[in-house]
Each structure stands twice: as structure tokens, then as C-alpha cells.
Amino acid sequence: MRVAVLYSGGKDSNYALYWALRQGFEVKYLVSMVSESEESYMYHVPNIHLTELQAKAIGIPLVKGFTSGEKEKEVDDMKAVLEGLKIDGVVAGALASEYQKKRVDRVARELGLKSFAPAWHRDPIEYMRELIEIFDIVVVGVSAYGLDESWLGRRIDEKALEELVELHKKYKIHVAGEGGEFETFVRDAPFFRARIVFDEVEKHWKEWDFSGVLEVRRAHLEPKQHP
């Protein structure tokens, strides 16, 4: 089956790609939607420009779509991109967002495509444990009370997961960040031919609303010894 993976560069879209490759699907394209709005209902925003570097590391063509980020119109913008691709299905990283999954499913149905969401309704703690084992994940955005500036640039490991579980108990933060509490970036994965190294980053923190972004200004690919 020829598929496109909706690809933001974060943990969930990389898991969607990981799953598709393990299924034996022919992943023809990675599709990244670039939104002008930081408040996009559908799409990941922080460091979306780095999907070009990730696609190069992976070796799968990247197709970029652009949207103003206007609610619902941004779904039509995604449909216009997928409509031009010779594929049989689309794979998304949806975990718990009914809003996102329903719209991806609808677009797929209208285009006659199969829709896959391999992480859908998985237990968030079990899911995060699996991701920690296979990916190098770093936090590049936070937007929730209980998460402070120290999370920006932090690698998600077992200790970080333990803290997220405690924050869930205390503040109801979704352990996998599905409510937009935090955004991630994957620097390495089994299917990367080279790992991504951050050369220059800058933290932008808004104390008044407990939110911030790690802006990656420069990064490069570092070859693996055993790709």
C-alpha cells in the first residue's frame, strides 16, 4: 500500500511513520503542513521548518503544504495537498484528539483513501514508554501550568515520564501532551540514517501564561556509525 504520513517532526508523527514502515507500507511521502497561526487547531507549529532536515535523514520525500491556520479552512488546505499525491492511504499520529482524527478521516474518505491512526486511544504511559525506547525525543514547546521553562530542550526519558505522571495526578496534564500541554521534536529514530544535532537554540518563555518555545536556529545531520 502506498501511503503518505502526516509529519510534524514530533513524537506522534514519527511513531506513525515507524508503524507504517513496520507494516511494510510503501511510504511515498511525508506531508508537513506549515501554519501561519501559532494557535492552529490541527497542526504542530514549533520548528516545523526542521522537517526538511528530518526528511533528509530518513530518505523519504517531503511535501509541504501551507495554510493560514484558519479553523476548518486549514483542513481543506491539507486535503488539497493530499489530493495531488498518488497514494492509497494516509497515516496520522492522532492519539486522543477526536477533533483531529475526525477531520483526517473525513478528508481520507472524500479522497477515497484509507486512514490509519496507529496510536489511537493507546494507554498514554505505555505509549510514552515505548517511544522513549525507540526515539530521541526533546521538548520544544510547553503550554500548561505545572510545566516551566526548564522543560524546554529537555529530553524525554524515564525520569521525565515519571514527572509527567505526577503532573497528571496533580494538574491533569496529559502524559503524552495530547491536550497541547507540550510539543516535541525527534532527533533520532531507528529509521534515521543520520541523527539531528542542535547547533543554536533560543528559549522564548512567557511567564504570565506558562508557555514557551525552544526555537532551533541552526541544526545539522551527524552520520551514524551503524545506520
Side-chain angles (χ1 to χ4, degrees), residues 80-189:
V81 174
L82 294 175
E83 196 169 18
L85 305 178
K86 292 182 179 180
I87 54 175
D88 307 304
V90 58
V91 188
L95 178 60
S97 172
E98 293 282 350
Y99 181 92
Q100 293 177 347
K101 187 174 187 301
K102 283 181 179 177
R103 282 154 180 79
V104 173
D105 286 348
R106 188 194 77 209
V107 166
R109 187 168 59 251
E110 290 172 354
L111 295 177
L113 303 175
K114 296 281 189 182
S115 180
F116 303 95
W120 187 240
H121 283 176
R122 282 196 56 179
D123 175 81
I125 298 176
E126 173 195 304
Y127 175 62
M128 289 294 284
R129 284 208 175 103
E130 181 178 356
L131 297 189
I132 287 167
E133 288 194 7
I134 56 179
F135 298 150
D136 174 12
I137 308 166
V138 62
V139 176
V140 293
V142 297
S143 183
Y145 186 75
L147 295 173
D148 58 24
E149 187 177 358
S150 69
W151 281 87
L152 293 176
R154 182 174 177 179
R155 183 176 181 181
I156 298 184
D157 54 16
E158 281 290 347
K159 185 175 185 301
L161 178 55
E162 288 174 10
E163 291 180 35
L164 288 169
V165 170
E166 289 305 311
L167 288 169
H168 169 71
K169 293 175 182 176
K170 196 170 182 180
Y171 302 115
K172 302 304 179 186
I173 289 173
H174 194 285
V175 173
E178 184 68 356
E181 295 94 337
F182 61 92
E183 303 278 5
T184 61
F185 181 87
V186 171
R187 294 181 296 196
D188 194 15

Side-chain angles (χ1 to χ4, degrees), residues 25-38:
F25 291 169
E26 182 182 0
V27 182
K28 298 288 290 183
Y29 308 100
L30 305 177
V31 175
S32 291
M33 295 300 298
V34 181
S35 175
E36 294 175 8
S37 171
E38 294 182 2

Side-chain angles (χ1 to χ4, degrees), residues 45-75:
V45 175
N47 299 298
I48 190 68
H49 64 287
L50 290 180
T51 55
E52 292 182 13
L53 201 59
Q54 288 170 307
K56 188 175 179 182
I58 296 164
I60 295 175
L62 176 71
V63 176
K64 278 189 173 183
F66 297 88
T67 178
S68 65
E70 181 183 343
K71 191 176 180 180
E72 300 303 342
K73 173 68 167 61
E74 63 183 359
V75 181

